Amino acid sequence: MIELYTWTTPNGRKASVMLEEIGLPYRVHPINIGKGEQFTPEYVAINPNSKIPAIIDNEGPGGKPLRVFESGAILIYLAEKTGKLLSKEPRARIAALEWLMFQMGGVGPMFGQAHHFLRQAPEPMPYPSERYVKETRRLYGVMDKQLGTQPFLAGEYSIADIATYPWVARHGWHKVELPEFPNVDRWFKAISARPAVERGMNVPPTAA
Ligand SMILES: N[C@@H](CCC(=O)N[C@@H](CS)C(=O)NCC(=O)O)C(=O)O
């Protein structure tokens, strides 16, 4: 059994979508980041960075428990544990890792900053809002170009798509209309139609 520490946000949904896709049993432990539950000593022992998501695999390497934090590391760990969603063929594998790192270093932080300045700043802040919206749109352009040549970010459906999808699902928050980026739109619809994705995007339910 995998213990999943998560909340209703895009980084958390990467882990729950992955767990639904690979079909491993897991137990959800909601960590309400709005109430500061990520800062409790119990949770910091699991994720020293006080962010969701994190997992504990009770049947980790050698049959012993293993904790994993950072969503990208969680996706790689679960892919390698199950042999799913990360090719073992060297070229396909590095392509998937490239687009996973593109998400971790670009899409997540930049979209996240756009959301912060557009939605949470105490007063309108044009300079940072424009900076992060502009970079967000540039990243959509990069994805759109790539998805014009391949069905998924790294060719086959992979952990790179699972990492990116929950952030694109918040396109309304960063004021992007998906039809502006037709290849991203096609990719988004294809992933949205996957039953495992639908289930994982509801963990924990948004009203929780
Ligand atoms: N690089 C981390 C980022 C995780 C992250 O920023 N999680 C957010 C929710 S999407 C969080 O826990 N925020 C709480 C906080 O910043 O206090 C990862 O990918 O796991």
Side-chain angles (χ1 to χ4, degrees), residues 10-205:
N11 287 315
R13 260 74 192 259
K14 296 178 197 174
S16 49
V17 167
M18 181 67 177
L19 284 161
E20 291 291 340
E21 288 282 10
I22 60 182
L24 283 184
Y26 66 101
R27 189 163 28 223
V28 180
H29 303 265
I31 302 294
N32 186 333
I33 60 174
K35 290 191 179 157
E37 291 175 5
Q38 69 275 37
F39 300 113
T40 64
E42 294 78 17
Y43 188 65
V44 174
I46 298 167
N47 185 341
N49 194 31
S50 294
K51 306 266 181 198
I52 62 90
I55 62 169
I56 295 176
D57 181 0
N58 291 311
E59 286 110 50
K64 295 190 192 134
L66 176 73
R67 78 97 200 268
V68 188
F69 71 97
E70 279 293 325
S71 59
I74 292 169
L75 292 175
I76 295 169
Y77 174 74
L78 293 173
E80 290 182 337
K81 179 181 173 83
T82 57
K84 292 179 180 168
L85 296 165
L86 177 60
S87 176
K88 293 187 187 62
E89 192 282 314
R91 288 174 192 274
R93 176 183 166 83
I94 202 68
L97 293 177
E98 280 176 340
W99 287 98
L100 176 66
M101 298 304 153
F102 167 88
Q103 190 290 314
M104 294 297 295
V107 169
M110 295 302 120
F111 290 22
Q113 292 301 322
H115 295 171
H116 178 82
F117 286 106
L118 288 170
R119 297 172 61 91
Q120 285 169 295
E123 62 202 48
M125 291 190 177
Y127 178 78
S129 301
E130 283 161 23
R131 173 181 164 84
Y132 292 114
V133 167
K134 188 174 168 204
E135 178 63 1
T136 293
R137 295 184 68 82
R138 193 192 67 79
L139 292 166
Y140 269 86
V142 173
M143 290 191 280
D144 203 58
K145 194 168 170 204
Q146 175 70 358
L147 291 167
T149 65
Q150 327 233 29
F152 295 100
L153 286 168
E156 291 174 3
Y157 182 59
S158 75
I159 55 174
D161 302 293
I162 292 174
T164 309
Y165 175 86
W167 283 98
V168 174
R170 289 222 164 143
H171 53 92
W173 285 29
H174 43 259
K175 304 203 182 303
V176 164
E177 301 284 345
L178 287 189
E180 295 178 73
F181 299 95
N183 299 308
V184 176
D185 193 30
R186 188 257 315 142
W187 166 91
F188 183 76
K189 287 181 179 136
I191 297 177
S192 299
R194 297 178 69 89
V197 172
E198 193 181 339
R199 291 194 301 273
M201 289 297 285
N202 200 34
V203 175

